[in-house]
């Protein structure tokens, strides 16, 4: 480094001396030098432009001749001999160079070179189909290379094979000078390209000749130009500097204090305009000199008045800040709070912020949090930092010992010229009342929604209460087992949460959601082979669920009556029916037929009544997902069944309807693009079947089939396979599409992208299949991509008796 400094010092000294001498030259000489410099600059530009065109000129001059040589040479070569040589190369024949076809083609190449006076090699190339990225020599015109030598495929060779016409390269350079190449196809009898002839031509002589001529022309024009520019520059300098010199003398007089008026300018050009402007400036200077004298006399009194006004303004600003009830304070780039702050800061921040670091003023006790705030302050005051992006990383609230909800907002004060942040204003606001008001409004809205839905679905709410009682008992029993089935426990809590969410029992649903998250982690541990343990907190939350539900029922007893206390399903029937069957039972003496008719009349109900609730579920889910679904269409909904026996299955089918809306029905835009109505449709069909799948007679029903169909996008088998691969499931590779889509009934399976209140836990369809199997039935899915999906559930109408096994309707395969 020291040696470099020693070498540069003489150059720096010369540069400073030349620069000083130039600055001291008269303006006329400077103008003359400027004209010469401009001329030299344009001469250099023209020389560079002309030199850059040399390659193009040589390329254009040689391309046509070289392409003609290549084209005529390719016509002299034998395509049949080329094929023989290529086949020998591909076979790896070591005696290839002594073969007749090779020697004949080599001789032809030498003749082409001799006839055209070429001093460089010409040769043929071909591309190995097995390795198109490389090309090989077929024949040469000298012995320096051999057949089969491999090199990367030249793009122009590939283009000749592709387009079947001759091409030539641009001018290129290597260690041996400048070159241009031409490539021509060697065609067979049917016109196909067998190989490519390449001819290289040295452009060194042409380039040297053009360069010498260009250099000679440039030197001649530059010498003449410098001579002409010197004469013109000298004359121009004289004509321009004479009036400038005169104006310079007037400036000297004005600088010495002579502000007397000057004679009017005689010229009308820029110099004359400058003289006029100079006279106007003198007039303004005289006026300002007088004003300055007057101002100096009054300056002291003005400073006193301004100081008083500033103190008054500061006091008013402080009073305004204190009267607003908000905390205002500022901090600078060091993070230290300034002395100016409002009195409300003491109440909102718990102390005076003046002189404290911002992390102390905001009551940040954690050292790591304080360090992050210090880094945040440094980023805020960085010149190239986006303020909006960085300020979003700062604290939005400040902790308060009395539990107040204090929010923070930041406003920058910038430098007028540079725009950089000088200080940052922090506004602290007590929004405790607003937060509490929002919370009260949310609770009141949830309560009103709960009441509306209970009123609309009183029967379904009674079923929910009975299900909840059973859920609490079954969950407690499952937890007490030595080997806990985490999937059963998960399904119980998830199904309970879904029903509680529908009835807007938000506090209960949130607690169930937290329990569900705990079970989700335990289920993952169980899948990894880890031992699971139900914590005391989970058991306390399970008991707390029942307490919250009982509190809701008790606080709304005037409205609900004893609906929450009943442990049985309530059936509404006309009094005329009661009177009719009462008389009948008395007359018949409770014979079996009368008893059966009594049971069917009073305990059986239309099956569609158990599914009417799901019309609201579908509507709510569609609204949440911004989709359109028409009301559910029921077929054979008047068929009567013992709904109480199948209640568990019917309740679990909520997951089928949500699945149809969330995963099946498309958005209105997607449906219109697919040629479908913008509103989706869900159809539920009920039927009675005999074993084997035949329709049952009305007198001998055995099996019940429920088919829930939608006209949505269908189930994609490939997406199911992808999820199975991600989960590491084995054994599905050879399954058909029909078989693999049945995997959606497996525990924990889900294609949702994230966990929400309604989806993504991997539970739901598993519950449907479990309930169907518990009844001795089965469940499966059928789907046609783009057309729709059908979920089919079949189960016996009555439980098996005398060791009789219920026969399923069909097998999946």
């Amino acid at each position: 480094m020291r040696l470099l400094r020693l070498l540069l010092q003489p150059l720096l000294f010369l540069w400073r001396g030349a620069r000083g001498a130039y600055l001291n030259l008269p303006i006329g000489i400077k103008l003359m030098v400027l004209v010469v410099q401009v001329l030299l600059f344009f001469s250099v530009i023209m020389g560079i432009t002309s030199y850059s065109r040399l390659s193009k000129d040589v390329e254009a001059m040689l391309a046509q001749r070289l392409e003609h040589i290549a084209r005529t040479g390719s016509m002299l070569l034998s395509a049949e001999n080329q094929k023989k040589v290529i086949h020998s190369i591909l076979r790896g024949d070591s005696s290839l160079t002594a073969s007749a076809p090779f020697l004949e083609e080599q001789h032809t190449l030498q003749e082409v070179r001799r006839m055209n006076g070429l001093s460089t090699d010409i040769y043929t190339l071909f591309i190995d189909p097995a390795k198109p990225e490389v090309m090989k020599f077929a024949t040469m015109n000298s012995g320096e290379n051999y057949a089969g030598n491999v090199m990367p495929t030249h793009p122009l060779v590939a283009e000749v094979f592709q387009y079947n016409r001759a091409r030539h390269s641009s001018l290129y350079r290597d260690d041996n000078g400048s070159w241009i190449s031409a490539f021509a196809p060697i065609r067979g009898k049917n016109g196909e390209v067998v190989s490519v002839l390449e001819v290289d031509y040295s452009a060194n002589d042409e380039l040297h000749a053009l360069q010498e001529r260009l250099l000679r022309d440039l030197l001649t024009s530059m010498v003449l130009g410098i001579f002409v520019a010197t004469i013109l520059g000298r004359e121009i300098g004289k004509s321009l500097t004479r009036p400038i010199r005169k104006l310079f003398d007037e400036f000297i007089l004005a600088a010495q204090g002579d502000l007397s008026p000057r004679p009017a300018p005689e010229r009308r050009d820029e110099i004359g305009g400058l003289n006029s402007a100079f006279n106007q400036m003198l007039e303004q200077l005289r006026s300002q000199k007088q004003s300055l004298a007057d101002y100096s006399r009054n300056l002291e009194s003005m400073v006193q008045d301004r100081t008083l006004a500033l103190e008054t303004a500061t006091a008013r600003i402080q009073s305004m800040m204190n009267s607003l009830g908000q905390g205002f304070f500022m901090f600078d780039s060091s993070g230290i709070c300034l002395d100016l702050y409002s009195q409300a800061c003491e109440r909102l921040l718990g102390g005076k912020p003046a002189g404290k670091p911002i992390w102390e003023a905001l009551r940040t006790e954690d050292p790591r949090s304080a360090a992050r705030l210090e880094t945040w302050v440094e980023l805020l005051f960085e010149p190239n930092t986006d303020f909006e992006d960085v300020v979003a990383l700062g604290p939005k609230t400040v902790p308060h010992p009395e539990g107040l909800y204090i929010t923070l907002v930041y406003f920058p004060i910038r430098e007028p010229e540079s725009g950089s942040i000088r200080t940052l204003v922090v506004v602290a606001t007590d929004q405790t009342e607003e937060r509490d008001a929002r919370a009260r409004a949310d609770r009141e809205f949830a309560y009103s929604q709960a009441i509306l839905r209970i009123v609309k679905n009183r029967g379904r709410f009674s079923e929910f209460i009975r299900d909840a009682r059973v859920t609490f008992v079954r969950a407690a029993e499952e937890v007490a087992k030595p080997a806990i089935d985490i999937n059963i426990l998960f399904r119980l809590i998830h199904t309970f949460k879904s029903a509680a969410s529908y009835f807007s029992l938000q506090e209960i649903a949130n607690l169930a959601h937290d329990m569900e998250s705990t079970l989700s982690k335990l289920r993952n541990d169980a899948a990894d082979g880890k031992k699971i343990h139900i914590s005391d907190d989970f058991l306390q939350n399970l008991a707390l669920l029942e307490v919250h539900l009982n509190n809701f029922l008790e606080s709304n007893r005037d409205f609900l009556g004893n609906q929450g206390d009943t442990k049985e399903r309530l059936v509404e029937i006309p009094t005329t029916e009661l009177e009719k069957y009462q008389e009948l039972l008395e007359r018949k003496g409770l014979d079996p037929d009368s008893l059966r008719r009594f049971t069917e009349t009073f305990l059986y109900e239309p099956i569609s009544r158990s599914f009417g609730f799901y019309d609201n579920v579908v509507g709510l889910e569609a609204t949440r997902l911004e989709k359109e679904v028409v009301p559910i269409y029921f077929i054979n909904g008047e068929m009567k069944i013992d709904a109480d026996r199948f209640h568990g299955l019917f309740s679990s089918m909520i997951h089928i309807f949500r699945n149809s809306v969330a995963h099946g029905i498309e958005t209105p835009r997607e449906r219109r693009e697919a040629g479908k109505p913008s509103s989706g449709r869900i159809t539920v069909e009920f039927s009675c079947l005999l074993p084997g799948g035949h329709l049952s007679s009305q007198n001998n029903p055995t099996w019940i089939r429920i088919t829930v169909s939608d006209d949505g996008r269908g189930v994609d088998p490939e997406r199911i396979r992808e999820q199975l691969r991600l989960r590491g499931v084995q054994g599905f590779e050879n399954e058909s599409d029909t078989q693999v889509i049945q995997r959606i009934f497996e525990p924990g399976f889900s294609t949702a992208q994230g966990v929400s209140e309604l989806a993504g836990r991997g539970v739901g369809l598993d519950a449907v299949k479990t309930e169907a199997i518990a009844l001795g039935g089965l469940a499966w899915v059928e789907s046609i991509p783009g057309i729709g999906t059908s979920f089919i559930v079949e189960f016996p109408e009555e439980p098996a008796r005398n060791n009789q096994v219920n026969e399923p309707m069909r097998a999946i395969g």
Side-chain angles (χ1 to χ4, degrees), residues 22 31 42 155 268 301 377 386 394 445 480 495 525 554 597 637 640 642 789:
Y22 176 79
L31 288 174
F42 282 106
R268 295 184 180 180
S301 60
V377 170
D386 190 307
F445 178 77
T495 303
D525 292 342
E554 184 62 30
R597 186 174 181 185
K640 289 190 174 184
D642 183 2
T789 303

Side-chain angles (χ1 to χ4, degrees), residues 115-383:
M115 288 187 298
N116 292 279
L118 300 175
S119 60
T120 58
D121 290 343
I122 62 174
Y123 42 86
T124 59
L125 306 166
F126 76 98
I127 299 176
D128 188 348
K131 298 180 178 179
E133 69 275 6
V134 297
M135 61 185 183
K136 299 182 178 181
F137 295 116
T139 54
M140 307 290 297
N141 70 331
S142 72
E144 297 177 358
N145 295 287
Y146 56 90
N149 191 21
V150 178
M151 63 186 299
T153 299
H154 195 289
L156 292 179
V157 174
E159 291 183 13
V160 172
F161 274 100
Q162 181 179 359
Y163 300 110
N164 195 4
R165 64 174 183 267
R167 303 299 299 270
H168 66 83
S169 70
S170 300
L171 197 66
Y172 62 92
R173 292 173 175 80
D174 58 16
D175 295 339
N176 296 321
S178 301
W179 300 83
I180 188 170
S181 299
F183 302 86
I186 301 174
R187 301 183 180 89
K189 294 180 180 180
N190 56 359
E192 83 282 6
V193 180
V194 175
S195 61
V196 174
L197 173 66
E198 179 176 352
V199 178
D200 294 334
Y201 190 87
S202 174
N204 290 334
D205 295 339
E206 287 79 359
L207 275 175
H208 290 160
L210 287 178
Q211 288 173 351
E212 291 177 357
R213 188 176 66 183
L214 176 62
L215 183 60
R216 185 174 60 252
D217 294 344
L218 285 176
L219 289 175
T220 302
S221 60
M222 287 178 63
V223 170
L224 293 176
I226 291 174
F227 177 75
V228 174
T230 302
I231 296 175
L232 290 177
R234 184 177 179 182
E235 294 302 320
I236 292 173
K238 288 182 178 180
S239 62
L240 290 177
T241 56
R242 189 178 297 109
I244 293 176
R245 185 67 184 180
K246 182 179 180 182
L247 184 61
F248 175 76
D249 294 338
E250 293 180 357
F251 269 99
I252 295 297
L253 293 175
Q256 294 174 354
D258 185 2
L259 301 181
S260 58
R262 301 288 188 267
E266 301 176 355
R267 305 168 62 101
R268 295 184 180 180
D269 56 4
E270 289 81 358
I271 300 298
L274 190 60
N275 284 328
S276 299
F278 177 72
N279 287 336
Q280 294 176 4
M281 182 188 69
L282 290 178
E283 182 64 29
Q284 292 176 0
L285 286 175
R286 287 194 296 272
S287 175
Q288 291 176 1
K289 185 177 181 180
Q290 183 63 37
S291 299
L292 183 60
D294 298 338
Y295 180 78
S296 298
R297 288 191 295 270
N298 300 325
L299 180 60
E300 184 175 354
S301 60
M302 291 174 61
V303 170
Q304 293 177 352
D305 295 341
R306 183 62 59 87
T307 302
L308 179 61
L310 184 59
E311 292 175 350
T312 303
T314 302
R316 289 177 180 175
I317 292 174
Q318 186 71 50
S319 300
M320 292 173 60
M321 291 170 56
N322 293 334
S323 65
L324 290 176
Q326 289 180 301
F328 293 87
F329 66 99
M330 296 182 290
F331 64 91
D332 56 19
S333 59
S334 65
I336 304 300
C337 299
L338 305 184
D339 293 336
L340 182 62
Y341 65 91
S342 64
Q343 292 180 352
C345 290
E346 300 181 16
R347 178 178 62 87
L348 299 179
L349 304 180
K352 299 178 180 180
K356 296 180 180 179
I358 181 66
W359 40 92
E360 293 184 10
L362 298 183
R363 306 174 66 87
T364 304
E365 299 177 357
D366 183 9
R368 289 178 298 180
S369 299
R372 285 195 293 268
L373 269 180
E374 189 173 358
T375 303
W376 174 68
V377 170
E378 293 177 358
L379 290 175
L380 276 175
F381 288 90
E382 282 289 336

Side-chain angles (χ1 to χ4, degrees), residues 535-729:
S535 66
D536 293 339
D537 291 340
F538 181 85
L539 298 176
Q540 293 175 2
N541 288 337
L542 184 61
L544 194 58
L545 277 182
E546 188 170 9
V547 171
H548 285 331
L549 184 60
N550 290 334
N551 290 340
F552 178 80
L553 296 175
E554 184 62 30
S555 61
N556 293 279
R557 183 172 295 277
D558 293 341
F559 164 67
L560 298 173
N562 295 325
Q563 186 174 1
D565 297 334
T566 181
K567 297 182 179 180
E568 298 179 353
R569 180 171 56 88
L570 301 178
V571 180
E572 296 180 1
I573 57 175
T575 56
T576 55
E577 289 288 335
L578 287 173
E579 294 173 355
K580 181 190 305 181
Y581 284 103
Q582 183 182 17
E583 294 174 359
L584 180 62
L585 290 174
E586 291 176 354
R587 186 171 61 253
K588 294 292 184 180
L590 289 177
D591 60 281
D593 290 339
S594 298
L595 183 60
R596 179 180 58 81
R597 186 174 181 185
F598 176 84
T599 302
E600 291 179 352
T601 303
F602 289 97
L603 299 180
Y604 282 29
E605 62 179 288
I607 190 172
S608 60
R609 186 176 299 174
S610 299
F611 287 81
F613 160 76
Y614 293 128
D615 208 5
N616 295 326
V617 173
V618 168
L620 289 172
E621 189 75 348
T623 300
R624 186 181 70 86
L625 298 175
E626 298 182 353
K627 297 182 179 181
E628 298 178 2
V629 182
V630 299
I632 298 175
Y633 181 69
F634 295 96
I635 301 176
N636 295 330
E638 69 280 0
M639 183 178 70
K640 289 190 174 184
I641 61 167
D642 183 2
D644 191 48
R645 178 172 171 264
F646 310 116
H647 174 69
L649 173 62
F650 292 170
S651 296
S652 69
M653 292 181 71
I654 185 175
H655 304 295
I656 291 181
F657 291 94
R658 280 179 171 161
N659 189 287
S660 296
V661 178
H663 299 291
I665 302 297
E666 308 94 329
T667 62
R669 179 179 179 180
E670 291 173 338
R671 292 181 62 85
R672 286 191 295 268
E673 291 175 353
K676 299 180 181 181
S678 58
S679 298
R681 174 180 292 275
I682 296 177
T683 302
V684 181
E685 182 177 4
F686 309 98
S687 56
C688 292
L689 306 172
L690 290 173
H694 303 290
L695 287 174
S696 169
S697 65
Q698 188 172 2
N699 297 326
N700 189 24
T702 303
W703 282 70
I704 296 175
R705 172 184 287 178
I706 302 176
T707 303
V708 181
S709 303
D710 65 70
D711 62 344
R713 60 171 59 90
V715 181
D716 185 359
E718 292 305 319
R719 189 175 181 189
I720 304 299
R721 291 188 175 95
E722 179 183 356
Q723 291 296 322
L724 294 173
R725 279 191 291 270
L726 293 175
R727 294 173 56 198
V729 178

Side-chain angles (χ1 to χ4, degrees), residues 68-87:
H68 172 73
I69 294 172
R71 186 181 299 110
T72 55
S74 66
M75 295 173 62
L76 297 175
L77 293 170
S78 170
E80 295 303 319
N81 285 344
Q82 288 290 311
K83 291 181 180 179
K84 293 176 182 179
V85 171
I86 291 170
H87 291 163

